[in-house]
Tab-separated table of all heavy atoms in Angstrom:
chain	number	residue	atom	x	y	z
A	337	TYR	N	16.222	-38.858	5.210
A	337	TYR	CA	14.875	-38.366	4.895
A	337	TYR	C	14.952	-37.816	3.480
A	337	TYR	O	15.804	-36.985	3.175
A	337	TYR	CB	14.495	-37.289	5.913
A	337	TYR	CG	13.127	-36.675	5.728
A	337	TYR	CD1	12.045	-37.425	5.295
A	337	TYR	CD2	12.922	-35.316	6.016
A	337	TYR	CE1	10.793	-36.845	5.143
A	337	TYR	CE2	11.673	-34.742	5.870
A	337	TYR	CZ	10.611	-35.506	5.431
A	337	TYR	OH	9.369	-34.936	5.275
A	339	PRO	N	12.603	-36.014	1.350
A	339	PRO	CA	11.310	-35.331	1.196
A	339	PRO	C	10.965	-35.054	-0.256
A	339	PRO	O	9.786	-34.882	-0.587
A	339	PRO	CB	11.506	-34.029	1.977
A	339	PRO	CG	12.973	-33.834	2.048
A	339	PRO	CD	13.571	-35.193	2.076
A	347	TRP	N	5.195	-33.462	4.393
A	347	TRP	CA	6.309	-33.094	5.275
A	347	TRP	C	5.824	-32.751	6.686
A	347	TRP	O	6.451	-33.137	7.675
A	347	TRP	CB	7.070	-31.884	4.728
A	347	TRP	CG	7.668	-32.056	3.371
A	347	TRP	CD1	7.612	-33.155	2.572
A	347	TRP	CD2	8.424	-31.070	2.651
A	347	TRP	NE1	8.279	-32.927	1.394
A	347	TRP	CE2	8.786	-31.656	1.415
A	347	TRP	CE3	8.814	-29.760	2.914
A	347	TRP	CZ2	9.520	-30.962	0.455
A	347	TRP	CZ3	9.554	-29.071	1.970
A	347	TRP	CH2	9.901	-29.679	0.743
A	351	PHE	N	6.969	-34.534	10.161
A	351	PHE	CA	7.576	-33.950	11.364
A	351	PHE	C	6.724	-34.186	12.610
A	351	PHE	O	7.256	-34.369	13.703
A	351	PHE	CB	7.901	-32.466	11.149
A	351	PHE	CG	9.153	-32.298	10.326
A	351	PHE	CD1	9.097	-31.941	8.996
A	351	PHE	CD2	10.399	-32.551	10.893
A	351	PHE	CE1	10.254	-31.813	8.235
A	351	PHE	CE2	11.567	-32.431	10.141
A	351	PHE	CZ	11.498	-32.060	8.809
A	362	VAL	N	17.476	-35.571	11.063
A	362	VAL	CA	17.230	-36.149	9.732
A	362	VAL	C	18.430	-35.848	8.837
A	362	VAL	O	19.043	-34.790	8.949
A	362	VAL	CB	15.947	-35.599	9.060
A	362	VAL	CG1	14.708	-36.207	9.692
A	362	VAL	CG2	15.886	-34.081	9.092
A	364	VAL	N	19.444	-35.166	5.206
A	364	VAL	CA	18.696	-34.661	4.052
A	364	VAL	C	19.642	-34.355	2.892
A	364	VAL	O	20.771	-33.911	3.113
A	364	VAL	CB	17.934	-33.373	4.459
A	364	VAL	CG1	17.246	-32.740	3.265
A	364	VAL	CG2	16.917	-33.673	5.540
A	382	GLY	N	14.789	-23.475	-2.887
A	382	GLY	CA	13.563	-23.062	-2.199
A	382	GLY	C	12.991	-24.180	-1.337
A	382	GLY	O	12.674	-23.980	-0.154
A	383	TRP	N	12.872	-25.367	-1.901
A	383	TRP	CA	12.285	-26.491	-1.167
A	383	TRP	C	13.140	-26.877	0.041
A	383	TRP	O	12.621	-27.212	1.098
A	383	TRP	CB	12.097	-27.696	-2.104
A	383	TRP	CG	13.409	-28.289	-2.570
A	383	TRP	CD1	14.190	-27.855	-3.598
A	383	TRP	CD2	14.102	-29.397	-1.975
A	383	TRP	NE1	15.325	-28.622	-3.700
A	383	TRP	CE2	15.290	-29.586	-2.714
A	383	TRP	CE3	13.830	-30.261	-0.904
A	383	TRP	CZ2	16.214	-30.587	-2.410
A	383	TRP	CZ3	14.749	-31.264	-0.604
A	383	TRP	CH2	15.919	-31.420	-1.356
A	384	LEU	N	14.463	-26.762	-0.137
A	384	LEU	CA	15.354	-27.139	0.959
A	384	LEU	C	15.322	-26.079	2.071
A	384	LEU	O	15.437	-26.407	3.253
A	384	LEU	CB	16.770	-27.339	0.403
A	384	LEU	CG	17.791	-28.048	1.282
A	384	LEU	CD1	17.273	-29.376	1.837
A	384	LEU	CD2	19.088	-28.304	0.494
A	385	ASP	N	15.127	-24.825	1.674
A	385	ASP	CA	14.937	-23.766	2.683
A	385	ASP	C	13.705	-24.082	3.529
A	385	ASP	O	13.745	-24.035	4.766
A	385	ASP	CB	14.705	-22.399	2.013
A	385	ASP	CG	15.942	-21.866	1.310
A	385	ASP	OD1	17.032	-22.439	1.502
A	385	ASP	OD2	15.807	-20.880	0.550
A	386	ARG	N	12.604	-24.415	2.824
A	386	ARG	CA	11.351	-24.674	3.566
A	386	ARG	C	11.516	-25.902	4.475
A	386	ARG	O	11.077	-25.920	5.619
A	386	ARG	CB	10.190	-24.884	2.588
A	386	ARG	CG	9.818	-23.621	1.811
A	386	ARG	CD	8.500	-23.760	1.065
A	386	ARG	NE	8.537	-24.702	-0.037
A	386	ARG	CZ	9.095	-24.478	-1.238
A	386	ARG	NH1	9.673	-23.308	-1.488
A	386	ARG	NH2	9.088	-25.393	-2.189
A	387	LEU	N	12.180	-26.894	3.940
A	387	LEU	CA	12.356	-28.137	4.684
A	387	LEU	C	13.224	-27.934	5.926
A	387	LEU	O	12.880	-28.383	7.032
A	387	LEU	CB	12.987	-29.166	3.721
A	387	LEU	CG	13.069	-30.642	4.074
A	387	LEU	CD1	14.248	-30.975	4.938
A	387	LEU	CD2	11.773	-31.160	4.706
A	388	THR	N	14.350	-27.239	5.749
A	388	THR	CA	15.249	-27.048	6.898
A	388	THR	C	14.582	-26.160	7.951
A	388	THR	O	14.743	-26.386	9.154
A	388	THR	CB	16.608	-26.464	6.451
A	388	THR	OG1	16.382	-25.415	5.498
A	388	THR	CG2	17.487	-27.504	5.808
A	389	ASP	N	13.808	-25.171	7.498
A	389	ASP	CA	13.079	-24.325	8.459
A	389	ASP	C	12.048	-25.155	9.225
A	389	ASP	O	11.895	-25.013	10.444
A	389	ASP	CB	12.357	-23.177	7.733
A	389	ASP	CG	13.345	-22.138	7.193
A	389	ASP	OD1	14.544	-22.214	7.552
A	389	ASP	OD2	12.919	-21.270	6.401
A	390	LEU	N	11.366	-26.013	8.489
A	390	LEU	CA	10.353	-26.872	9.114
A	390	LEU	C	11.009	-27.781	10.157
A	390	LEU	O	10.503	-27.958	11.272
A	390	LEU	CB	9.683	-27.711	8.024
A	390	LEU	CG	8.330	-28.334	8.306
A	390	LEU	CD1	7.295	-27.263	8.641
A	390	LEU	CD2	7.863	-29.140	7.079
A	391	ALA	N	12.138	-28.339	9.793
A	391	ALA	CA	12.863	-29.214	10.730
A	391	ALA	C	13.204	-28.424	11.991
A	391	ALA	O	12.955	-28.873	13.116
A	391	ALA	CB	14.132	-29.753	10.071
A	392	HIS	N	13.736	-27.245	11.774
A	392	HIS	CA	14.130	-26.440	12.930
A	392	HIS	C	12.925	-26.118	13.810
A	392	HIS	O	12.988	-26.212	15.044
A	392	HIS	CB	14.812	-25.152	12.459
A	392	HIS	CG	15.291	-24.322	13.597
A	392	HIS	ND1	16.192	-24.783	14.530
A	392	HIS	CD2	14.965	-23.066	13.993
A	392	HIS	CE1	16.414	-23.862	15.438
A	392	HIS	NE2	15.684	-22.801	15.140
A	398	VAL	N	19.394	-31.113	11.382
A	398	VAL	CA	19.592	-31.572	10.002
A	398	VAL	C	21.056	-31.936	9.776
A	398	VAL	O	21.957	-31.127	9.993
A	398	VAL	CB	19.156	-30.484	8.998
A	398	VAL	CG1	19.574	-30.863	7.574
A	398	VAL	CG2	17.646	-30.283	9.055
Side-chain angles (χ1 to χ4, degrees):
Y337 180 36
W347 301 0
F351 283 104
V362 285
V364 175
W383 67 277
L384 194 51
D385 291 349
R386 293 192 292 284
L387 192 277
T388 43
D389 289 350
L390 200 59
H392 183 59
V398 171

